[in-house]
Amino acid sequence: MLVAAPVVVTAVIVGVSVLSAMRPGHLAKPAASEPAASRSRSPATPLPADGWYMVHPVYAASSGPVGRCLSILPDNGFVPTVAHDRCDPEDQLQRMHFESAGKGAYTIRAEDLDNKIKCAAVDSPADQARIHLRPCAKAERRQLFLLTVAGASSPAVYRLASATAAGSCVGIDAAAADENPQAIQTNCAHTGVQGYSLTPASAPETSAG
């Protein structure tokens, strides 16, 4: 019995220690967890601020042309038309002014072939409608374009959609065998581009009119 005594004493001491630790004043504090609201999150990509930009199409096909920008070029009737052209930082016809109209909607202005500032406007709500420059008209829905972030990337890529037809985005006329395809309104799944990135640019010399 004397041999077993130390074992009994040890068991009593352990039991007392466990009971003491379980008293309200000795409850173990759980590890402080960081509130969900304070956890680090990737900041949302902001929509572009009002200003002048060069607009670069990001083609859906990895083999698509590089170094292209939206530009104002004459169509077959010599009407100033939004089209794709090789980027030239000195070309004032490649400078587009984005101005927020609220709720992700923007008006887009550019210089036309007569050095006058006009607004991009979709010709009609129809599929394949072209985008020409027209005199700016307040509250003209065909002159409103919706910008949304196309995905996490750097630089940011924005999907550009017409406000005239639901489910329609601004893309390119892929059927045209032209080095400078025109921008068109078409189904978002068939635009030929993933979106557009914007590079800040200076205003053209003719910045009013």
Side-chain angles (χ1 to χ4, degrees):
M1 294 299 292
L2 291 177
V3 175
V7 176
V8 174
V9 173
T10 302
V12 171
I13 294 173
V14 171
V16 171
S17 299
V18 171
L19 291 174
S20 176
M22 293 178 60
R23 284 172 18 203
H26 295 80
L27 288 175
K29 294 183 179 180
S33 59
E34 187 179 4
S38 66
R39 291 173 188 161
S40 59
R41 296 176 179 174
S42 299
T45 302
L47 292 177
D50 292 1
W52 290 92
Y53 297 91
M54 292 185 72
V55 184
H56 310 270
V58 179
Y59 291 90
S62 59
S63 59
V66 297
R68 296 295 180 125
C69 290
L70 291 188
S71 182
I72 305 303
L73 298 174
D75 64 6
N76 293 335
F78 296 97
V79 178
T81 308
V82 179
H84 292 209
D85 197 3
R86 293 183 182 278
C87 294
D88 180 357
E90 302 300 321
D91 189 348
Q92 298 195 68
L93 297 178
Q94 293 184 359
R95 302 175 192 182
M96 312 277 174
H97 186 272
F98 284 68
E99 183 175 347
S100 174
K103 297 182 178 180
Y106 286 79
T107 57
I108 302 175
R109 295 188 296 152
E111 184 176 274
D112 72 1
L113 307 175
D114 296 319
N115 304 115
K116 294 182 180 178
I117 301 297
K118 293 182 179 178
C119 286
V122 178
D123 285 352
S124 75
D127 186 58
Q128 307 288 310
R130 298 290 191 265
I131 302 171
H132 290 102
L133 288 190
R134 306 292 186 189
C136 295
K138 189 174 182 180
E140 171 54 68
R141 191 165 182 79
R142 292 183 185 180
Q143 294 181 3
L144 287 178
F145 296 86
L146 307 175
L147 261 67
T148 54
V149 178
S153 61
S154 181
V157 175
Y158 301 96
R159 185 173 291 108
L160 186 60
S162 165
T164 62
S168 290
C169 291
V170 174
I172 57 172
D173 186 359
D178 193 334
E179 184 180 0
N180 304 110
Q182 295 181 352
I184 59 172
Q185 170 182 266
T186 188
N187 185 283
C188 291
H190 305 120
T191 59
V193 296
Q194 292 178 336
Y196 300 87
S197 64
L198 278 60
T199 302
S202 59
E205 295 176 5
T206 306
S207 58

